């Protein structure tokens, strides 16, 4: 349990609606090519927490990368809030990406920076309407790491590093969180704690969550499960 966690005293923002239509992404050509997203269609209401379940290679990461504007689709459309992601040019795509909070399996913290500076890093080059260090400290308190603000990542456990990454994902006031196997590098008890934390913070901020996992046991804090196989949605508890 995260006993030292504090409630987040930050803005309440609404999550965004996500609409994906006939989304297709291939890697490679012809016989040896792979269809990583095969005419995927889904609608996620604002503020819903969705678990994307599926075996390795089923297309979970590809779908998150497409929705997050990190990868381009071959065909189909993605709309996230006011952004028609599949129609955006490079500049507007990078503006769009600021409204997305990413959490990765391997944390991706910068080893030379303190915990506090890691949380601040995404908004450092941006004009923002809040005090960066103050908001970072609030978010660190929200993930139970107020005391470790001046540590460097290597001094933290895996679970603590992922909690820093969660605070970092929230610093830019995102409207949606995309989490790609956020517990994949953690033991199962730590993974459950991290999952509970993500579910709780996302709910408190009213955000939309799309979270990939291959672990059936980690969907408790989600409202809906979408199952993928070979790039195809094969089950959707919310459709
Ligand atoms: N950059 C890439 N180049 C070639 N194939 C890829 C690439 N990214 C993903 N794939 C392939 O697309 C399929 C789906 O992969 P991925 O979305 O990573 O699945 P998951 O996240 O569910 O494990 C897999 O067959 C994978 O090998
Ligand atoms: Mg993946």
């Amino acid at each position: 349990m995260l006993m030292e966690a504090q409630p987040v005293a930050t803005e309440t923002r609404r999550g965004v609606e996500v609409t994906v239509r006939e989304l297709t992404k291939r890697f490679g050509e012809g016989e040896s090519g792979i269809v990583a997203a095969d005419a995927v269609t889904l609608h996620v209401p604002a503020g819903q927490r969705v678990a994307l379940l599926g075996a390795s290679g089923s297309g979970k990461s590809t779908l998150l990368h497409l929705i997050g504007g990190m990868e381009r689709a071959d065909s189909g459309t993605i709309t996230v809030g006011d952004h028609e992601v599949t129609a955006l040019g490079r500049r507007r795509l990078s503006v769009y990406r600021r409204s997305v909070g990413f959490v990765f399996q391997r944390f991706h913290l910068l080893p030379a920076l303190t915990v506090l500076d890691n949380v601040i890093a995404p908004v450092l080059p941006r004009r923002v309407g809040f005090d960066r260090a103050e908001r970072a400290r609030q978010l660190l308190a929200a993930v139970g790491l107020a005391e470790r603000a001046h540590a460097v990542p290597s001094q933290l456990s895996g679970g603590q590093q992922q909690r820093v990454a969660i605070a970092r994902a929230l610093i830019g006031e995102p409207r949606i969180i995309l989490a790609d196997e956020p517990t994949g590098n953690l033991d199962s008890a730590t993974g459950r704690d991290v999952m509970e934390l993500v579910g709780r913070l996302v709910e408190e901020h009213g955000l939309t969550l799309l979270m990939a996992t291959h672990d059936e046991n980690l969907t408790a804090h989600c409202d809906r499960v979408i199952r993928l196989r070979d790039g195809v949605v094969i089950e959707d508890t919310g459709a």
Side-chain angles (χ1 to χ4, degrees):
M1 291 302 292
L2 302 164
M3 300 303 288
E4 72 272 50
Q6 314 258 314
V8 207
T10 49
E11 85 301 342
T12 44
R13 282 177 75 105
R14 305 285 302 280
V16 277
E17 188 178 9
V18 178
T19 305
V20 172
R21 287 201 191 90
E22 295 288 317
L23 188 68
T24 297
K25 175 72 180 177
R26 285 178 208 84
F27 291 108
E29 300 290 322
E31 289 285 288
S32 60
I34 280 185
V35 186
D38 192 352
V40 172
T41 294
L42 24 113
H43 175 253
V44 178
Q48 194 173 56
R49 298 171 300 175
V50 177
L52 290 175
L53 263 182
S56 177
S58 58
K60 305 180 297 296
S61 295
T62 299
L63 188 55
L64 292 180
H65 294 164
L66 290 167
I67 292 171
M70 298 155 89
E71 193 110 60
R72 290 287 196 178
D74 294 321
S75 59
T77 58
I78 301 167
T79 309
V80 178
D82 299 333
H83 303 274
E84 196 183 335
V85 179
T86 34
L88 296 178
R90 257 184 46 201
R91 274 184 69 137
R92 290 177 61 208
L93 201 57
S94 72
V95 172
Y96 158 69
R97 273 196 224 100
R98 295 180 194 161
S99 68
V100 180
F102 294 99
V103 180
F104 304 97
Q105 181 173 348
R106 292 180 200 284
F107 324 138
H108 292 310
L109 300 178
L110 297 166
L113 297 188
T114 65
V115 162
L116 186 69
D117 286 341
N118 265 283
V119 176
I120 293 172
V123 291
L124 207 53
R126 282 163 49 184
R127 204 185 314 166
V128 288
F130 51 82
D131 182 302
R132 294 177 181 81
E134 172 64 22
R135 179 168 167 82
R137 284 204 186 83
Q138 283 177 3
L139 288 167
L140 282 172
V143 300
L145 288 174
E147 315 289 286
R148 307 311 310 271
H150 301 292
V152 289
S154 62
Q155 295 171 314
L156 303 183
S157 68
Q160 289 174 326
Q161 290 186 51
Q162 192 60 301
R163 282 148 65 187
V164 174
I166 291 162
R168 178 186 58 187
L170 292 168
I171 188 85
E173 300 185 322
R175 314 283 310 268
I176 181 170
I177 297 289
L178 302 178
D180 196 355
E181 311 226 20
T183 64
N185 274 1
L186 305 175
D187 65 71
S188 56
T190 308
R192 277 195 301 275
D193 279 353
V194 161
M195 224 40 123
E196 188 202 335
L197 179 67
V198 171
R200 180 168 61 73
L201 288 175
V202 160
E203 190 172 33
E204 274 175 22
H205 290 245
L207 305 178
T208 307
L209 172 69
L210 294 180
M211 185 186 61
T213 176
H214 58 257
D215 188 341
E216 307 265 344
N217 301 314
L218 291 175
T219 61
H221 301 283
C222 290
D223 307 305
R224 171 178 177 185
V225 173
I226 294 175
R227 198 180 300 267
L228 293 173
R229 184 196 290 151
D230 298 334
V232 176
V233 174
I234 56 164
E235 185 193 337
D236 184 348
T237 63

